[in-house]
Amino acid sequence: MSIIIKNKSDILSSEITDQKIYDGRREFIKNMGLGTAALLAGANMSIAEAKTQAQKYKNLAKSQFSTTEKLTDFSDITGYNNFYEFGTGKYDPAKRAKEFNPDPWSIAIEGEVEKPGVYNLEDFIKPYALEERIYRFRCVEGWSMVIPWVGFPLADMIKQFKPTSKAKYVEFVTLYDKERMPGQALRVLPWPYTEGLRMDEAMNPLTLMAVGLYGNELPNQNGAPIRLVVPWKYGFKNIKSIVKIRFTEHQPTSTWNKIGPKEYGFYSNVNPEVDHPRWSQKTERKIGEPFWAGKHKTLKFNGYGEQVAHMYKGMDLKKFF
Ligand SMILES: Nc1nc2c(c(=O)[nH]1)N[C@H]1C(S)=C(S)[C@@H](COP(=O)(O)O)O[C@H]1N2
Ligand SMILES: [Mo]
């Protein structure tokens, strides 16, 4: 396996020779189990072109953690988004992220790890078997979806970098590039978007790095090419288009916590018993259902208590919201 490790964190995969990237991509396609058509296409055209061909992840492992609830339609999952880098309206990202090209992509690994460096996406996700995980997804604004993600456990990835004993938290950072992310021209958020998890949350088997949904690559508006999925937390913890992961001794800040500490806590576990200061969190509207279907009860930890409640034993969840 060819992991590219650099000591300096300022070397991007775009600086590595084209042939190397080209070979890496072909490996990537093979390892992702994409269809023969895409593989053949990959041999003759750029990946960007190949991506527009029908291509599916094949033989995805099913997960014991998947819900059997009715899936939200693809059109809703990819048409109703929060991704302020492409505008603040729910229908903006689908339109304004169309031109975004997430290839090539690299992620800088920094901080309290034995193996920091800049890793090509293709290189560092190669060893992991991809799974389909159907998760409930609850936005802090009071709506929810059921999304069939394609991804791998963040824990498997983290182990590769050998965190030191000082690594108590993990910080994630989204790409900051005004040319490619037009929403960043407006100062609606302090860019780049960042998020954080406690180390045990990051290592929890439910925590996923998603690289696709509905059996295909991640659409740009959903955070291509790679984003975080933490199903027991509110939507905004699920940071998109990640370019940096930093391991820290102290609790990192996060974008929403920074701009509204009274409204958005660091933990942000889904909790119907703790209301948002401006609205109740007891119920949710399922996207795709007609309004007359009404609201549904929100579940503590979004229904994933069995897998995650133990991490918060003894903590006052009204204080650490
Ligand atoms: N970088 C970045 N990540 C982000 C956001 C964002 O604006 N920028 N929005 C968050 C919010 S509020 C939600 S609800 C989810 C939405 O994910 P989806 O569009 O895939 O449903 O992404 C989260 N991740
Ligand atoms: Mo959200």
Side-chain angles (χ1 to χ4, degrees):
M1 195 190 77
S2 60
I3 281 189
I4 295 174
I5 300 167
K6 306 278 181 197
N7 288 325
K8 280 167 111 187
S9 60
D10 54 356
I11 299 165
L12 298 170
S13 63
S14 54
E15 291 165 337
I16 298 158
T17 65
D18 284 339
Q19 187 59 43
K20 180 116 196 20
I21 291 169
Y22 179 74
D23 289 340
R25 285 167 180 164
R26 275 208 308 195
E27 271 300 293
F28 180 53
I29 292 173
K30 254 192 293 186
N31 282 283
M32 293 298 101
L34 299 179
T36 319
L39 191 58
L40 288 175
N44 297 306
M45 50 176 98
S46 74
I47 276 292
E49 287 169 309
K51 266 180 187 165
T52 64
Q53 311 288 310
Q55 56 176 242
K56 280 195 186 290
Y57 294 120
K58 293 258 166 65
N59 308 317
L60 288 172
K62 300 275 174 241
S63 172
Q64 55 166 327
F65 298 123
S66 286
T67 170
T68 54
E69 285 156 276
K70 185 179 176 292
L71 301 181
T72 303
D73 284 349
F74 181 81
S75 59
D76 284 324
I77 295 174
T78 59
Y80 188 86
N81 303 99
N82 270 335
F83 199 172
Y84 280 21
E85 283 82 345
F86 294 101
T88 53
K90 299 281 186 279
Y91 307 103
D92 289 340
K95 277 182 272 170
R96 300 181 69 197
K98 270 205 188 85
E99 304 298 314
F100 184 72
N101 180 6
D103 182 56
W105 196 267
S106 55
I107 301 186
I109 304 296
E110 298 181 356
E112 294 295 340
V113 285
E114 285 176 28
K115 296 180 159 192
V118 177
Y119 296 76
N120 284 326
L121 180 65
E122 297 88 337
D123 286 329
F124 82 100
I125 73 176
K126 210 150 57 175
Y128 315 112
L130 292 180
E131 309 172 15
E132 177 173 80
R133 294 251 187 131
I134 304 168
Y135 278 157
R136 239 172 258 133
F137 187 95
R138 170 61 156 81
C139 176
V140 72
E141 296 165 57
W143 49 265
S144 68
M145 297 193 191
V146 178
I147 305 179
W149 300 109
V150 177
F152 53 87
L154 175 60
D156 291 352
M157 182 178 158
I158 287 180
K159 284 175 201 155
Q160 301 278 316
F161 312 128
K162 297 205 187 322
T164 71
S165 58
K166 281 189 184 163
K168 301 275 197 297
Y169 294 89
V170 192
E171 182 186 23
F172 304 85
V173 183
T174 294
L175 177 68
Y176 182 35
D177 185 338
K178 283 185 201 165
E179 302 290 311
R180 296 163 71 195
M181 296 182 146
Q184 289 174 337
L186 298 176
R187 296 232 199 97
V188 286
L189 292 180
W191 311 110
Y193 196 101
T194 68
E195 257 307 334
L197 295 174
R198 216 170 55 190
M199 195 64 178
D200 59 334
E201 299 177 320
M203 297 300 285
N204 188 281
L206 285 189
T207 304
L208 202 70
M209 289 299 267
V211 295
L213 59 82
Y214 263 111
N216 271 310
E217 282 186 327
L218 213 49
N220 290 339
Q221 59 268 41
N222 294 91
I226 187 162
R227 60 93 60 87
L228 183 69
V229 178
V230 197
W232 71 96
K233 292 182 182 283
Y234 289 118
F236 64 88
K237 297 295 286 186
N238 298 253
I239 182 171
K240 296 173 169 180
S241 305
I242 296 166
V243 292
K244 191 183 287 184
I245 302 179
R246 194 184 355 242
F247 295 80
T248 63
E249 189 173 0
H250 303 289
Q251 186 177 301
T253 57
S254 59
T255 296
W256 286 100
N257 185 237
K258 227 187 311 187
I259 65 171
K262 296 208 173 78
E263 307 198 356
Y264 311 101
F266 175 78
Y267 285 94
S268 291
N269 294 321
V270 175
N271 192 345
E273 296 152 26
V274 179
D275 287 338
H276 184 281
R278 289 183 281 139
W279 59 80
S280 162
Q281 289 293 25
K282 288 186 177 60
T283 61
E284 65 204 52
R285 187 170 70 85
K286 290 192 179 180
I287 298 298
E289 282 188 355
F291 269 97
W292 46 258
K295 298 207 173 179
H296 301 265
K297 277 198 168 142
T298 288
L299 303 171
K300 194 162 183 178
F301 298 116
N302 203 20
Y304 297 97
E306 203 183 308
Q307 288 85 19
V308 305
H310 65 92
M311 294 191 289
Y312 311 101
K313 225 190 284 169
M315 281 176 70
D316 178 356
L317 295 180
K318 288 204 166 67
K319 189 172 169 213
F320 298 100
F321 61 97

